[in-house]
């Protein structure tokens, strides 16, 4: 009797998921690219910005070095390939985010291209058929900017730590 109930319940769930999961419309609508001339505040963002710091509010240990040494400084715990990340913002609204392109022997390389806009302190990015809005804060000389978001980080013991993390990007060639 229990087998019949389980098979009946499983069959009903499977059938309902088929009805709900099927669609004749297989198109994916991507957000429209940003267009138009840059405004004055956007000129500060033109150029290439490299990742130079990652700091968490809570300490977390992500290094597999058999030593319990949690730190708030996530950047020092990253590999050279993970640290090798940069944004390039062009005058025609094109941007590129690249990771692992310059460091040696990176097995995972990432490159995302899209369009960008900056409005007040919100950096809008459209790439890979998705939109992202990041609140950024420039330093006084506008040679670096930070963005902070909340993340779930899994430490070396498999524990999840929820914390705010601030990423700092510094303009390449800046003399500040």
């Amino acid at each position: 009797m229990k087998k019949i109930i389980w098979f009946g319940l499983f069959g009903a769930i499977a059938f309902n998921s088929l009805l709900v999961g099927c669609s004749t419309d297989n198109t994916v609508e991507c957000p429209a690219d940003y267009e138009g001339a840059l405004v004055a505040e956007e000129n500060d963002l033109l150029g290439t910005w490299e990742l130079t710091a990652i700091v968490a509010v809570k300490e977390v240990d992500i290094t597999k070095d058999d030593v319990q040494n949690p730190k708030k400084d996530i950047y020092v715990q990253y590999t050279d390939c993970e640290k090798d990340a940069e944004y390039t913002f062009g005058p025609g609204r094109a941007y590129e985010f690249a990771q692992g392109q310059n460091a040696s022997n990176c097995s995972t390389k990432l490159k995302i291209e899209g369009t960008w806009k900056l409005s007040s302190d919100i950096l809008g990015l459209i790439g890979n058929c998705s939109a992202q809005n990041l609140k950024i804060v420039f330093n006084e000389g506008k040679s670096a900017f930070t963005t902070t978001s909340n993340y779930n980080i899994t430490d070396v013991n498999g524990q999840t730590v929820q914390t705010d993390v601030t990423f700092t990007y510094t303009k390449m060639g800046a003399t500040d």
Side-chain angles (χ1 to χ4, degrees):
M1 180 69 171
K2 284 187 177 180
K3 284 185 181 178
I4 294 171
I5 293 172
W6 278 109
F7 283 119
L9 182 61
F10 178 74
I13 292 170
F15 182 70
N16 282 335
S17 67
L18 284 174
L19 291 177
V20 172
C22 290
S23 171
T24 58
D25 183 12
N26 290 329
T27 60
V28 174
E29 291 194 32
C30 296
D33 285 336
Y34 293 118
E35 297 177 338
L38 300 182
V39 297
E41 73 174 312
E42 292 176 309
N43 289 324
D44 293 328
L45 204 53
L46 293 174
T48 300
W49 301 76
E50 65 182 332
L51 179 65
T52 53
I54 306 171
V55 178
V57 171
K58 296 179 183 175
E59 291 185 337
V60 63
D61 184 2
I62 60 172
T63 57
K64 294 182 181 177
D65 58 2
D66 296 324
V67 177
Q68 293 295 318
N69 54 348
K71 296 178 175 65
K72 291 181 179 181
D73 188 347
I74 303 296
Y75 188 80
V76 298
Q77 299 180 69
Y78 265 25
T79 66
D80 287 344
C81 292
E82 292 167 326
K83 290 177 186 176
D84 178 24
E86 63 187 31
Y87 281 103
T88 301
F89 299 99
R93 295 219 175 273
Y95 88 90
E96 176 182 281
F97 176 79
Q99 186 172 23
Q101 303 293 316
N102 302 310
S104 299
N105 303 319
C106 296
S107 60
T108 304
K109 296 181 181 227
L110 174 69
K111 193 177 279 191
I112 298 171
E113 296 175 333
T115 57
W116 68 280
K117 80 171 186 175
L118 181 63
S119 179
S120 297
D121 57 354
I122 303 298
L123 174 60
L125 302 171
I126 294 179
N128 284 1
C129 200
S130 66
Q132 183 177 20
N133 291 305
L134 303 171
K135 180 177 171 51
I136 66 170
V137 178
F138 282 103
N139 68 352
E140 189 174 322
K142 297 201 177 183
S143 61
F145 71 84
T146 60
T147 182
T148 302
S149 294
N150 192 269
Y151 291 94
N152 289 324
I153 302 172
T154 303
D155 70 10
V156 293
N157 299 317
Q159 300 296 313
T160 301
V161 177
Q162 185 177 26
T163 184
D164 285 342
V165 180
T166 300
F167 295 81
T168 301
Y169 289 87
T170 303
K171 193 167 194 175
M172 294 178 68
T175 57
D176 189 49

Short mmCIF file of all heavy atoms in Angstrom, two decimals, residues 3-56:
data_model
loop_
_atom_site.label_atom_id
_atom_site.label_comp_id
_atom_site.label_asym_id
_atom_site.label_seq_id
_atom_site.Cartn_x
_atom_site.Cartn_y
_atom_site.Cartn_z
N LYS A 3 3.85 1.55 -1.23
CA LYS A 3 4.46 1.70 -2.54
C LYS A 3 3.51 2.39 -3.51
O LYS A 3 3.91 3.23 -4.29
CB LYS A 3 4.89 0.35 -3.10
CG LYS A 3 6.13 -0.20 -2.48
CD LYS A 3 6.55 -1.47 -3.18
CE LYS A 3 7.79 -2.03 -2.53
NZ LYS A 3 8.22 -3.28 -3.14
N ILE A 4 2.24 2.04 -3.47
CA ILE A 4 1.26 2.63 -4.37
C ILE A 4 1.12 4.13 -4.09
O ILE A 4 1.08 4.94 -5.00
CB ILE A 4 -0.10 1.92 -4.25
CG1 ILE A 4 0.04 0.48 -4.75
CG2 ILE A 4 -1.18 2.64 -5.01
CD1 ILE A 4 -1.17 -0.38 -4.48
N ILE A 5 1.08 4.51 -2.82
CA ILE A 5 0.98 5.92 -2.45
C ILE A 5 2.20 6.68 -2.95
O ILE A 5 2.07 7.75 -3.55
CB ILE A 5 0.80 6.08 -0.93
CG1 ILE A 5 -0.56 5.51 -0.51
CG2 ILE A 5 0.92 7.55 -0.51
CD1 ILE A 5 -0.75 5.44 0.99
N TRP A 6 3.40 6.14 -2.73
CA TRP A 6 4.62 6.82 -3.17
C TRP A 6 4.67 6.93 -4.68
O TRP A 6 5.00 7.99 -5.22
CB TRP A 6 5.88 6.09 -2.65
CG TRP A 6 6.19 6.46 -1.25
CD1 TRP A 6 6.04 5.68 -0.15
CD2 TRP A 6 6.65 7.72 -0.77
NE1 TRP A 6 6.39 6.35 0.98
CE2 TRP A 6 6.77 7.63 0.62
CE3 TRP A 6 6.97 8.93 -1.37
CZ2 TRP A 6 7.20 8.68 1.41
CZ3 TRP A 6 7.39 9.97 -0.58
CH2 TRP A 6 7.51 9.83 0.78
N PHE A 7 4.35 5.85 -5.41
CA PHE A 7 4.36 5.90 -6.88
C PHE A 7 3.30 6.86 -7.39
O PHE A 7 3.54 7.61 -8.34
CB PHE A 7 4.17 4.51 -7.48
CG PHE A 7 5.40 3.66 -7.42
CD1 PHE A 7 5.40 2.47 -6.71
CD2 PHE A 7 6.57 4.04 -8.06
CE1 PHE A 7 6.54 1.69 -6.64
CE2 PHE A 7 7.70 3.26 -7.99
CZ PHE A 7 7.69 2.08 -7.28
N GLY A 8 2.13 6.86 -6.77
CA GLY A 8 1.06 7.78 -7.18
C GLY A 8 1.45 9.22 -6.93
O GLY A 8 1.24 10.09 -7.78
N LEU A 9 2.04 9.50 -5.75
CA LEU A 9 2.47 10.85 -5.42
C LEU A 9 3.58 11.30 -6.36
O LEU A 9 3.55 12.40 -6.89
CB LEU A 9 2.94 10.89 -3.96
CG LEU A 9 3.39 12.25 -3.43
CD1 LEU A 9 2.24 13.24 -3.49
CD2 LEU A 9 3.89 12.11 -2.01
N PHE A 10 4.55 10.43 -6.59
CA PHE A 10 5.66 10.75 -7.49
C PHE A 10 5.14 11.01 -8.90
O PHE A 10 5.55 11.95 -9.56
CB PHE A 10 6.71 9.63 -7.49
CG PHE A 10 7.85 9.90 -8.43
CD1 PHE A 10 8.81 10.85 -8.11
CD2 PHE A 10 7.95 9.23 -9.64
CE1 PHE A 10 9.87 11.10 -8.97
CE2 PHE A 10 8.99 9.48 -10.50
CZ PHE A 10 9.95 10.42 -10.17
N GLY A 11 4.21 10.16 -9.36
CA GLY A 11 3.64 10.32 -10.70
C GLY A 11 2.90 11.63 -10.84
O GLY A 11 3.01 12.32 -11.86
N ALA A 12 2.13 12.02 -9.83
CA ALA A 12 1.39 13.28 -9.87
C ALA A 12 2.34 14.48 -9.91
O ALA A 12 2.14 15.42 -10.66
CB ALA A 12 0.45 13.38 -8.67
N ILE A 13 3.41 14.42 -9.12
CA ILE A 13 4.39 15.51 -9.10
C ILE A 13 5.10 15.60 -10.44
O ILE A 13 5.25 16.68 -11.00
CB ILE A 13 5.41 15.32 -7.95
CG1 ILE A 13 4.70 15.51 -6.60
CG2 ILE A 13 6.58 16.29 -8.09
CD1 ILE A 13 5.54 15.13 -5.40
N ALA A 14 5.50 14.47 -11.00
CA ALA A 14 6.18 14.46 -12.30
C ALA A 14 5.27 15.00 -13.39
O ALA A 14 5.69 15.80 -14.23
CB ALA A 14 6.64 13.04 -12.64
N PHE A 15 4.01 14.59 -13.39
CA PHE A 15 3.07 15.05 -14.41
C PHE A 15 2.84 16.55 -14.29
O PHE A 15 2.85 17.27 -15.30
CB PHE A 15 1.73 14.29 -14.28
CG PHE A 15 0.74 14.68 -15.34
CD1 PHE A 15 0.94 14.32 -16.66
CD2 PHE A 15 -0.38 15.43 -15.00
CE1 PHE A 15 0.02 14.68 -17.63
CE2 PHE A 15 -1.29 15.81 -15.97
CZ PHE A 15 -1.09 15.43 -17.30
N ASN A 16 2.66 17.05 -13.06
CA ASN A 16 2.46 18.49 -12.86
C ASN A 16 3.68 19.29 -13.29
O ASN A 16 3.56 20.36 -13.86
CB ASN A 16 2.13 18.81 -11.40
CG ASN A 16 0.69 18.50 -11.07
OD1 ASN A 16 -0.16 18.51 -11.95
ND2 ASN A 16 0.41 18.24 -9.80
N SER A 17 4.88 18.78 -13.03
CA SER A 17 6.08 19.51 -13.44
C SER A 17 6.21 19.55 -14.95
O SER A 17 6.71 20.51 -15.52
CB SER A 17 7.33 18.93 -12.80
OG SER A 17 7.59 17.64 -13.29
N LEU A 18 5.75 18.52 -15.63
CA LEU A 18 5.74 18.54 -17.09
C LEU A 18 4.79 19.61 -17.61
O LEU A 18 5.11 20.34 -18.54
CB LEU A 18 5.33 17.17 -17.66
CG LEU A 18 6.38 16.08 -17.62
CD1 LEU A 18 5.78 14.75 -18.08
CD2 LEU A 18 7.56 16.45 -18.50
N LEU A 19 3.62 19.71 -17.02
CA LEU A 19 2.65 20.71 -17.47
C LEU A 19 3.14 22.12 -17.19
O LEU A 19 3.01 23.00 -18.02
CB LEU A 19 1.30 20.49 -16.77
CG LEU A 19 0.53 19.23 -17.18
CD1 LEU A 19 -0.74 19.12 -16.35
CD2 LEU A 19 0.21 19.25 -18.65
N VAL A 20 3.72 22.33 -16.01
CA VAL A 20 4.18 23.66 -15.64
C VAL A 20 5.48 24.00 -16.36
O VAL A 20 5.69 25.13 -16.78
CB VAL A 20 4.37 23.75 -14.11
CG1 VAL A 20 5.04 25.06 -13.72
CG2 VAL A 20 3.04 23.59 -13.41
N GLY A 21 6.37 23.04 -16.54
CA GLY A 21 7.69 23.30 -17.09
C GLY A 21 7.73 23.44 -18.60
O GLY A 21 8.69 23.94 -19.15
N CYS A 22 6.70 23.02 -19.30
CA CYS A 22 6.71 23.08 -20.76
C CYS A 22 6.21 24.43 -21.24
O CYS A 22 5.26 24.98 -20.72
CB CYS A 22 5.83 21.98 -21.35
SG CYS A 22 6.54 20.35 -21.13
N SER A 23 6.86 24.92 -22.26
CA SER A 23 6.45 26.17 -22.88
C SER A 23 6.81 26.10 -24.35
O SER A 23 7.83 25.54 -24.73
CB SER A 23 7.18 27.33 -22.22
OG SER A 23 6.95 28.52 -22.94
N THR A 24 5.96 26.65 -25.18
CA THR A 24 6.26 26.65 -26.61
C THR A 24 7.12 27.84 -26.98
O THR A 24 7.65 27.90 -28.08
CB THR A 24 4.95 26.70 -27.43
OG1 THR A 24 4.21 27.86 -27.05
CG2 THR A 24 4.14 25.44 -27.21
N ASP A 25 7.29 28.79 -26.07
CA ASP A 25 8.08 29.99 -26.34
C ASP A 25 9.48 29.79 -25.76
O ASP A 25 9.69 29.92 -24.57
CB ASP A 25 7.42 31.21 -25.71
CG ASP A 25 8.16 32.49 -26.03
OD1 ASP A 25 9.05 32.47 -26.90
OD2 ASP A 25 7.85 33.51 -25.40
N ASN A 26 10.44 29.46 -26.60
CA ASN A 26 11.81 29.18 -26.14
C ASN A 26 12.73 30.39 -26.31
O ASN A 26 13.94 30.25 -26.22
CB ASN A 26 12.39 27.99 -26.90
CG ASN A 26 11.72 26.70 -26.50
OD1 ASN A 26 11.28 26.55 -25.36
ND2 ASN A 26 11.63 25.77 -27.43
N THR A 27 12.18 31.57 -26.60
CA THR A 27 13.03 32.73 -26.80
C THR A 27 13.47 33.32 -25.47
O THR A 27 12.74 33.26 -24.47
CB THR A 27 12.29 33.83 -27.61
OG1 THR A 27 11.13 34.22 -26.88
CG2 THR A 27 11.90 33.32 -28.98
N VAL A 28 14.65 33.86 -25.47
CA VAL A 28 15.19 34.53 -24.30
C VAL A 28 15.34 36.00 -24.67
O VAL A 28 15.96 36.33 -25.68
CB VAL A 28 16.57 33.95 -23.90
CG1 VAL A 28 17.18 34.75 -22.78
CG2 VAL A 28 16.45 32.49 -23.55
N GLU A 29 14.76 36.87 -23.86
CA GLU A 29 14.88 38.29 -24.13
C GLU A 29 15.95 38.89 -23.25
O GLU A 29 15.84 38.91 -22.03
CB GLU A 29 13.53 38.98 -23.89
CG GLU A 29 12.50 38.60 -24.92
CD GLU A 29 11.29 39.51 -24.90
OE1 GLU A 29 11.46 40.71 -24.60
OE2 GLU A 29 10.21 39.01 -25.21
N CYS A 30 16.99 39.36 -23.90
CA CYS A 30 18.11 39.97 -23.19
C CYS A 30 17.82 41.46 -23.00
O CYS A 30 17.12 42.07 -23.81
CB CYS A 30 19.40 39.81 -23.98
SG CYS A 30 19.90 38.09 -24.18
N PRO A 31 18.36 42.06 -21.94
CA PRO A 31 18.18 43.51 -21.77
C PRO A 31 18.86 44.26 -22.91
O PRO A 31 19.88 43.82 -23.44
CB PRO A 31 18.85 43.81 -20.44
CG PRO A 31 19.58 42.59 -20.02
CD PRO A 31 19.13 41.46 -20.88
N ALA A 32 18.29 45.38 -23.27
CA ALA A 32 18.85 46.21 -24.35
C ALA A 32 20.18 46.82 -23.91
O ALA A 32 20.35 47.20 -22.74
CB ALA A 32 17.86 47.30 -24.72
N ASP A 33 21.11 46.92 -24.84
CA ASP A 33 22.39 47.56 -24.57
C ASP A 33 22.20 49.03 -24.25
O ASP A 33 21.26 49.67 -24.74
CB ASP A 33 23.33 47.43 -25.77
CG ASP A 33 23.90 46.04 -25.94
OD1 ASP A 33 23.96 45.30 -24.94
OD2 ASP A 33 24.29 45.70 -27.07
N TYR A 34 23.11 49.57 -23.43
CA TYR A 34 23.12 51.01 -23.19
C TYR A 34 23.64 51.70 -24.43
O TYR A 34 24.56 51.21 -25.09
CB TYR A 34 23.99 51.36 -21.98
CG TYR A 34 23.45 50.84 -20.67
CD1 TYR A 34 24.17 49.92 -19.91
CD2 TYR A 34 22.22 51.26 -20.19
CE1 TYR A 34 23.67 49.45 -18.72
CE2 TYR A 34 21.72 50.79 -18.99
CZ TYR A 34 22.44 49.89 -18.26
OH TYR A 34 21.95 49.41 -17.08
N GLU A 35 23.06 52.84 -24.74
CA GLU A 35 23.47 53.60 -25.92
C GLU A 35 23.56 55.07 -25.57
O GLU A 35 23.12 55.50 -24.52
CB GLU A 35 22.43 53.42 -27.04
CG GLU A 35 22.30 52.00 -27.53
CD GLU A 35 21.22 51.85 -28.59
OE1 GLU A 35 20.30 52.70 -28.65
OE2 GLU A 35 21.28 50.87 -29.35
N GLY A 36 24.11 55.84 -26.50
CA GLY A 36 24.15 57.29 -26.35
C GLY A 36 25.51 57.79 -25.95
O GLY A 36 26.41 57.04 -25.57
N ALA A 37 25.65 59.09 -26.04
CA ALA A 37 26.90 59.76 -25.70
C ALA A 37 27.11 59.73 -24.18
O ALA A 37 26.15 59.71 -23.41
CB ALA A 37 26.88 61.20 -26.20
N LEU A 38 28.37 59.72 -23.79
CA LEU A 38 28.70 59.77 -22.36
C LEU A 38 28.40 61.15 -21.80
O LEU A 38 28.53 62.15 -22.49
CB LEU A 38 30.18 59.45 -22.14
CG LEU A 38 30.69 58.10 -22.60
CD1 LEU A 38 32.17 57.96 -22.26
CD2 LEU A 38 29.89 56.96 -22.03
N VAL A 39 28.00 61.18 -20.54
CA VAL A 39 27.85 62.45 -19.84
C VAL A 39 29.14 62.71 -19.07
O VAL A 39 29.97 61.81 -18.89
CB VAL A 39 26.60 62.44 -18.91
CG1 VAL A 39 25.33 62.29 -19.72
CG2 VAL A 39 26.71 61.37 -17.86
N ALA A 40 29.32 63.93 -18.60
CA ALA A 40 30.58 64.35 -17.98
C ALA A 40 31.05 63.42 -16.88
O ALA A 40 32.23 63.05 -16.83
CB ALA A 40 30.45 65.78 -17.46
N GLU A 41 30.15 63.00 -15.97
CA GLU A 41 30.57 62.16 -14.84
C GLU A 41 31.09 60.80 -15.30
O GLU A 41 31.87 60.16 -14.61
CB GLU A 41 29.44 61.97 -13.84
CG GLU A 41 28.33 61.04 -14.30
CD GLU A 41 27.29 60.75 -13.23
OE1 GLU A 41 27.65 60.42 -12.10
OE2 GLU A 41 26.10 60.85 -13.56
N GLU A 42 30.68 60.34 -16.47
CA GLU A 42 31.11 59.03 -16.96
C GLU A 42 32.55 59.03 -17.47
O GLU A 42 33.20 57.99 -17.49
CB GLU A 42 30.17 58.54 -18.07
CG GLU A 42 28.78 58.22 -17.54
CD GLU A 42 27.82 57.83 -18.64
OE1 GLU A 42 27.71 58.58 -19.64
OE2 GLU A 42 27.17 56.77 -18.50
N ASN A 43 33.06 60.19 -17.84
CA ASN A 43 34.43 60.27 -18.34
C ASN A 43 35.45 59.82 -17.30
O ASN A 43 36.52 59.35 -17.65
CB ASN A 43 34.74 61.69 -18.82
CG ASN A 43 34.00 62.02 -20.10
OD1 ASN A 43 33.83 61.17 -20.97
ND2 ASN A 43 33.54 63.25 -20.21
N ASP A 44 35.12 59.96 -16.01
CA ASP A 44 36.03 59.54 -14.95
C ASP A 44 36.25 58.03 -14.95
O ASP A 44 37.23 57.54 -14.42
CB ASP A 44 35.50 59.96 -13.57
CG ASP A 44 35.49 61.47 -13.38
OD1 ASP A 44 36.38 62.14 -13.95
OD2 ASP A 44 34.59 61.96 -12.67
N LEU A 45 35.32 57.30 -15.53
CA LEU A 45 35.40 55.84 -15.51
C LEU A 45 36.15 55.27 -16.71
O LEU A 45 36.52 54.09 -16.72
CB LEU A 45 33.98 55.26 -15.45
CG LEU A 45 33.81 53.87 -14.88
CD1 LEU A 45 34.45 53.72 -13.51
CD2 LEU A 45 32.35 53.49 -14.81
N LEU A 46 36.39 56.06 -17.73
CA LEU A 46 37.07 55.57 -18.93
C LEU A 46 38.46 55.03 -18.59
O LEU A 46 39.19 55.60 -17.78
CB LEU A 46 37.21 56.69 -19.97
CG LEU A 46 35.91 57.17 -20.59
CD1 LEU A 46 36.16 58.38 -21.48
CD2 LEU A 46 35.23 56.06 -21.37
N GLY A 47 38.80 53.90 -19.19
CA GLY A 47 40.11 53.30 -18.97
C GLY A 47 40.01 51.91 -18.36
O GLY A 47 38.94 51.31 -18.31
N THR A 48 41.14 51.41 -17.91
CA THR A 48 41.22 50.06 -17.33
C THR A 48 41.44 50.15 -15.83
O THR A 48 42.30 50.91 -15.36
CB THR A 48 42.36 49.26 -18.00
OG1 THR A 48 42.08 49.17 -19.41
CG2 THR A 48 42.47 47.86 -17.43
N TRP A 49 40.67 49.36 -15.09
CA TRP A 49 40.68 49.35 -13.64
C TRP A 49 40.98 47.93 -13.17
O TRP A 49 40.25 47.01 -13.49
CB TRP A 49 39.31 49.78 -13.11
CG TRP A 49 38.90 51.15 -13.55
CD1 TRP A 49 38.43 51.51 -14.78
CD2 TRP A 49 38.93 52.33 -12.77
NE1 TRP A 49 38.16 52.85 -14.81
CE2 TRP A 49 38.46 53.38 -13.58
CE3 TRP A 49 39.30 52.60 -11.46
CZ2 TRP A 49 38.36 54.69 -13.12
CZ3 TRP A 49 39.20 53.90 -11.00
CH2 TRP A 49 38.73 54.93 -11.83
N GLU A 50 42.06 47.78 -12.40
CA GLU A 50 42.43 46.44 -11.94
C GLU A 50 42.02 46.23 -10.48
O GLU A 50 42.04 47.15 -9.67
CB GLU A 50 43.92 46.19 -12.11
CG GLU A 50 44.83 47.07 -11.29
CD GLU A 50 46.30 46.80 -11.53
OE1 GLU A 50 46.66 45.67 -11.90
OE2 GLU A 50 47.08 47.75 -11.37
N LEU A 51 41.65 44.98 -10.19
CA LEU A 51 41.29 44.59 -8.83
C LEU A 51 42.52 44.70 -7.94
O LEU A 51 43.55 44.11 -8.24
CB LEU A 51 40.75 43.16 -8.83
CG LEU A 51 40.36 42.57 -7.48
CD1 LEU A 51 39.17 43.33 -6.89
CD2 LEU A 51 40.02 41.10 -7.62
N THR A 52 42.40 45.46 -6.84
CA THR A 52 43.55 45.65 -5.96
C THR A 52 43.26 45.31 -4.50
O THR A 52 44.19 45.26 -3.69
CB THR A 52 44.08 47.10 -6.03
OG1 THR A 52 42.99 48.01 -5.79
CG2 THR A 52 44.69 47.38 -7.41
N ALA A 53 42.00 45.08 -4.15
CA ALA A 53 41.69 44.73 -2.76
C ALA A 53 40.30 44.10 -2.68
O ALA A 53 39.41 44.44 -3.46
CB ALA A 53 41.73 45.97 -1.86
N ILE A 54 40.16 43.16 -1.75
CA ILE A 54 38.87 42.56 -1.40
C ILE A 54 38.88 42.40 0.11
O ILE A 54 39.72 41.69 0.67
CB ILE A 54 38.67 41.17 -2.05
CG1 ILE A 54 38.86 41.23 -3.56
CG2 ILE A 54 37.29 40.62 -1.71
CD1 ILE A 54 38.89 39.86 -4.22
N VAL A 55 37.94 43.07 0.78
CA VAL A 55 37.89 43.05 2.24
C VAL A 55 36.48 42.68 2.68
O VAL A 55 35.50 43.28 2.22
CB VAL A 55 38.30 44.42 2.82
CG1 VAL A 55 38.19 44.41 4.34
CG2 VAL A 55 39.70 44.80 2.38
N ALA A 56 36.39 41.71 3.58
CA ALA A 56 35.11 41.28 4.14
C ALA A 56 34.92 41.89 5.53
O ALA A 56 35.89 42.19 6.22
CB ALA A 56 35.06 39.76 4.24
#
